[in-house]
Amino acid sequence: MEELDGEPTVTLIPGVNSQKKQMCFDWGPGEMLVCETSFNKKEKSEMVPGCPYIHIIRKDIDVYCKILRKLFNESHGIFVGLQRIEEEFTGKSRKAQLVRVSKNYRSVIRACMEEMHQLAIAAKDPASGGQFSSQISILSAMELIWNLCEILFIEVAPAGPLLLHLLDWVRLHVCEVDSLSADVLGSENPSKHQDFWKLPGNTQTLTELELKWQHWHEECERHLQDGTFASSPHLESLCKIMLGDEAALLEQKELLSNWYHFLVTRLLYSCPTVKPMDLHCYAQSSLDLFLGGESSAEPLDNILLAAFEFDIHQVIKECSIALSNWWFVAHLTDLLDHCKLLQSHNLYFGSNMREFLLLEYASGLFAHHSLWQLGVDYFDHCPELGRVSLELHIERIPLSTEQKALKVLRVCEQRQMTEQVRSICKILAMKAVRNNRLGSALSWSIRAKDAAFATLVSDRFLRDYCERGCFSDLDLIDNLGPAMMLSDRLTFLGKYREFHRLYGEKRFVDAASLLLSLMTSQIAPRSFWMTLLTDALPLLEQKQVIFSAEQTYELMRCLEDLISERPAHGEPDAQQLQDDDIETTKVEMLRIGLARNLARSIIKEGSLDGS
């Protein structure tokens, strides 16, 4: 029967008393907002002002630590490289590569520990120094667990070499050993150094170790039985230690940092060729003997015990509970999955353990203003739910700058995330409109393929033209190309700009033909017809006849249609009267100009027919 998880621990928020005030909260993508309501919890009838503070609870606070960001950044490259191993390597070379990847991860952890250590030394206030020291302890535990998992699960060391690996493991993580070794070996007579007997060494080969151990064991057992060292308690104690006597080893408990140091020492003297399957028995008994009922096992102890029992899933579960972020379990699980050790462990909600942990880790990265870019690659390598998770998270990234928006947009375009591209471009277009940056707004609306918004921006361009008498962002409008077909209004804007270009080049016939087609094809908005007709006036007054009789009739029809559609006003004010006078003047000038042009065009066309 599957073990059920216990109830989650209660997290108390400093300064918030839920017994006195009613609380409300709202979830964000990587955090929760908590605040007090405006009424008293017990006396609901009486309205009492609540606390003015909003408390932000982040689930992945470690992403805001500068040193740990180095861990996240450097391990990202290792992770991406690991995903290619599946295709490039097989057999022994594949196993060697996996071991190399594991060591690379550990080297990154140790580099962060070293940097934390330097900061702890340089810290000027005790609080900061304490925080760094606490983080160093966490990183040290992470590297300790990872190293053991590397030995047991990735290298899969057999009996014999297994103990040598464990000796290296203890020597690496019990800091005193390296410094003591240097002191002893650097002395004139190492065998007479006061710390000589504190160091069980591993400088001999496995064969030498087995032969010497067998010889020691037989000799020590004979001397102990014969009472050779009865007169010297120290020598007798040493003899018992070399026989692996548990009581004698525990008498030297102060020389052993912890129970797993005791475990490896015990194995060295009692069972140097221990088999992997027997490790868990020695581990559990060593823990019990070392603690001796004086204290209970810590979370780290439980994790190491689960590793010695070869229970990978329990290791991952215990680490998920004990550690403050998802980095460790996500990357370790991914590596173990590449070692084909987690294939049978699927979860109930549509994903396996590897993918679930990677999704959680990537979600935490997306809470940070720059680390979200790393999270993209983690989502990419989650085949089941990675795509949909990326879509949900990328929509929530605050587009604080255009540079950041372009980065997000590039990610979406590379993955053919059409809806997200359209949404981002539309947001940027709206921001540009609010800031009266019409060229940028038009560019984003075209990129979003948003016809409605392109129409809105085009109207703003036309209104701006009417007010100023010239276009802004001419380069953009001149180079719309096929994009102008996105909406009728955008087409009109592009064609109307083309009319002005033709007029400026004195290509009057082409300009006149284009102007008329804009009105007769119904592309031009009716509200802009008077502007177009006014633009026709200079062409009507040219020395040469520009508009033909048929074209002139079309312009006349457009003018009369426009006049007949004008709404009747109520009691006019002064401004309305002035506007009406201006419009009346325009209409009269147009009628005169059209009449003159019609006469000229008829005469011209008649003379051409007569000739």
Side-chain angles (χ1 to χ4, degrees):
M1 187 172 179
E2 186 178 356
E3 179 188 354
L4 296 176
D5 292 334
E7 288 293 321
T9 57
V10 176
T11 302
L12 296 177
I13 307 170
V16 174
N17 189 342
S18 59
Q19 301 299 319
K20 293 183 178 179
K21 298 284 185 180
Q22 183 164 327
M23 308 302 300
C24 66
F25 65 90
D26 189 26
W27 291 102
E31 58 198 16
M32 184 174 71
L33 304 179
V34 181
C35 62
E36 295 178 0
T37 58
S38 60
F39 56 86
N40 190 293
K41 189 174 182 180
K42 294 181 179 178
E43 303 172 5
K44 294 184 179 180
S45 59
E46 182 183 352
M47 299 297 289
V48 180
C51 175
Y53 300 109
I54 295 177
H55 302 268
I56 302 175
I57 304 173
R58 292 190 173 99
K59 68 173 184 178
D60 287 293
I61 193 68
D62 286 344
V63 299
Y64 299 96
C65 173
K66 290 183 179 179
I67 306 300
L68 290 181
R69 286 209 293 274
K70 179 180 180 181
L71 175 72
F72 302 147
N73 276 304
E74 295 194 12
S75 58
H76 163 261
I78 301 172
F79 169 83
V80 173
L82 174 59
Q83 311 313 306
R84 294 194 291 265
I85 284 182
E86 197 72 33
E87 305 167 359
E88 298 176 5
F89 299 97
T90 57
K92 290 183 179 179
S93 63
R94 187 172 185 277
K95 179 181 176 181
Q97 287 297 319
L98 291 171
V99 173
R100 182 184 61 80
V101 168
S102 180
K103 292 182 185 297
N104 287 343
Y105 275 128
R106 289 200 294 115
S107 69
V108 173
I109 298 174
R110 293 192 74 82
C112 287
M113 286 172 59
E114 180 60 30
E115 195 165 342
M116 284 276 189
H117 182 65
Q118 297 301 325
L119 288 172
I121 294 173
K124 296 181 179 179
D125 60 292
S128 298
Q131 288 178 351
F132 288 128
S133 298
S134 174
Q135 196 63 255
I136 290 169
S137 299
I138 295 171
L139 289 171
S140 179
M142 287 163 58
E143 211 250 325
L144 175 75
I145 299 163
W146 192 300
N147 195 356
L148 183 60
C149 291
E150 180 184 297
I151 294 167
L152 299 179
F153 305 136
I154 302 170
E155 287 189 306
V156 197
L162 175 59
L163 182 61
L164 294 179
H165 284 298
L166 291 176
L167 282 167
D168 285 335
W169 175 62
V170 166
R171 185 183 65 180
L172 182 63
H173 296 284
V174 178
C175 301
E176 294 84 1
V177 173
D178 284 331
S179 57
L180 286 176
S181 297
D183 290 342
V184 172
L185 295 175
S187 64
E188 293 182 4
N189 192 343
S191 62
K192 292 187 177 180
H193 193 281
Q194 62 178 358
D195 293 324
F196 177 76
W197 296 106
K198 295 181 181 180
L199 301 168
N202 66 328
T203 55
Q204 58 272 330
T205 65
L206 177 62
T207 305
E208 290 174 333
L209 177 64
E210 288 181 316
L211 289 173
K212 288 181 180 180
W213 177 81
Q214 190 65 38
H215 176 70
W216 290 340
H217 193 79
E218 292 173 356
E219 284 290 306
C220 291
E221 195 168 26
R222 182 172 60 79
H223 285 301
L224 194 63
Q225 289 176 354
D226 293 345
T228 305
F229 306 118
S231 60
S232 175
H234 291 297
L235 286 176
E236 189 172 50
S237 176
L238 179 60
C239 187
K240 289 179 180 179
I241 288 172
M242 295 179 74
L243 282 171
D245 183 272
E246 293 170 358
L249 285 169
L250 287 172
E251 286 177 3
Q252 309 301 322
K253 188 175 179 180
E254 71 278 359
L255 301 178
L256 303 170
S257 308
N258 42 57
W259 67 269
Y260 46 89
H261 191 181
F262 169 63
L263 163 67
V264 177
T265 305
R266 179 186 174 194
L267 289 173
L268 175 65
Y269 291 118
S270 63
C271 190
T273 55
V274 62
K275 296 178 181 178
M277 66 182 69
D278 297 327
L279 269 179
H280 72 281
C281 296
Y282 285 102
Q284 185 63 63
S285 62
S286 296
L287 175 63
D288 295 339
L289 287 168
F290 194 82
L291 295 181
E294 296 175 4
S295 59
S296 57
E298 297 289 334
L300 177 59
D301 301 328
N302 294 327
I303 294 169
L304 296 177
L305 277 178
F308 282 122
E309 291 172 2
F310 289 86
D311 190 343
I312 297 175
H313 303 123
Q314 189 64 23
V315 170
I316 295 169
K317 177 181 175 180
E318 295 282 351
C319 288
S320 299
I321 296 170
L323 298 176
S324 59
N325 63 67
W326 293 103
W327 179 90
F328 180 86
V329 287
H331 290 85
L332 179 61
T333 303
D334 175 61
L335 181 57
L336 295 175
D337 188 71
H338 279 81
C339 296
K340 311 296 184 186
L341 296 173
L342 296 171
Q343 303 304 311
S344 61
H345 195 77
N346 290 321
L347 304 177
Y348 296 116
F349 35 87
S351 179
N352 58 31
M353 181 180 285
R354 170 193 173 272
E355 180 160 323
F356 170 76
L357 294 172
L358 287 176
L359 291 173
E360 287 295 320
Y361 174 64
S363 298
L365 293 176
F366 264 79
H368 191 266
H369 65 88
S370 63
L371 291 178
W372 66 268
Q373 297 172 83
L374 306 181
V376 172
D377 285 325
Y378 289 93
F379 281 135
D380 281 345
H381 290 97
C382 293
E384 295 292 327
L385 302 174
R387 170 79 180 201
V388 66
S389 298
L390 177 59
E391 289 174 353
L392 291 171
H393 280 81
I394 213 156
E395 289 175 351
R396 295 168 175 166
I397 296 177
L399 306 177
S400 49
T401 65
E402 192 160 307
Q403 183 181 10
K404 186 174 182 179
L406 288 170
K407 289 181 180 178
V408 177
L409 202 58
R410 195 176 304 117
V411 167
C412 296
E413 288 176 339
Q414 288 169 349
R415 290 155 182 80
Q416 290 81 49
M417 295 164 62
T418 310
E419 288 303 318
Q420 284 69 30
V421 168
R422 185 175 291 117
S423 174
I424 292 166
C425 290
K426 190 168 183 177
I427 290 169
L428 293 170
M430 293 175 72
K431 281 186 176 181
V433 166
R434 284 197 295 269
N435 294 323
N436 204 33
R437 294 168 55 229
L438 298 182
S440 179
L442 184 58
S443 178
W444 284 120
S445 60
I446 291 171
R447 197 165 179 176
K449 295 182 174 58
D450 189 326
F453 208 83
T455 299
L456 183 147
V457 179
S458 299
D459 280 338
R460 286 285 299 270
F461 262 106
L462 295 172
R463 191 193 319 160
D464 193 49
Y465 169 79
C466 291
E467 292 173 357
R468 297 170 53 192
C470 62
F471 282 113
S472 57
D473 299 285
L474 283 179
D475 286 343
L476 175 65
I477 301 173
D478 285 343
N479 295 284
L480 285 173
M484 73 169 63
M485 305 305 294
L486 182 62
S487 77
D488 287 347
R489 198 59 45 82
L490 186 57
T491 303
F492 170 71
L493 177 64
K495 292 295 183 181
Y496 185 55
R497 167 57 191 155
E498 186 179 346
F499 160 76
H500 279 276
R501 184 174 57 80
L502 292 171
Y503 187 89
E505 295 171 358
K506 298 187 177 181
R507 296 166 59 186
F508 298 134
V509 174
D510 292 336
S513 178
L514 177 57
L515 186 70
L516 185 62
S517 69
L518 289 176
M519 299 181 70
T520 56
S521 63
Q522 304 297 317
I523 291 178
R526 289 275 179 157
S527 59
F528 211 74
W529 274 23
M530 183 55 73
T531 303
L532 293 176
L533 289 167
T534 305
D535 286 335
L537 269 174
L539 294 172
L540 293 170
E541 299 298 329
Q542 292 292 323
K543 289 183 179 180
Q544 66 181 98
V545 177
I546 305 299
F547 290 103
S548 67
E550 184 180 352
Q551 289 177 324
T552 308
Y553 281 126
E554 286 291 336
L555 289 173
M556 287 178 168
R557 181 183 60 79
C558 291
L559 178 60
E560 297 307 318
D561 286 349
L562 185 62
I563 294 170
S564 64
E565 287 180 359
R566 286 185 176 177
H569 295 290
E571 190 67 28
D573 55 16
Q575 183 63 44
Q576 185 64 52
L577 288 170
Q578 184 179 353
D579 292 343
D580 287 345
D581 287 343
I582 294 172
E583 289 298 306
T584 302
T585 303
K586 285 183 181 179
V587 170
E588 290 303 319
M589 289 176 66
L590 282 168
R591 281 176 172 161
I592 294 170
L594 287 167
R596 286 176 180 171
N597 190 81
L598 181 61
R600 293 166 62 199
S601 62
I602 290 173
I603 294 170
K604 178 183 177 183
E605 290 168 11
S607 62
L608 289 173
D609 290 341
S611 64

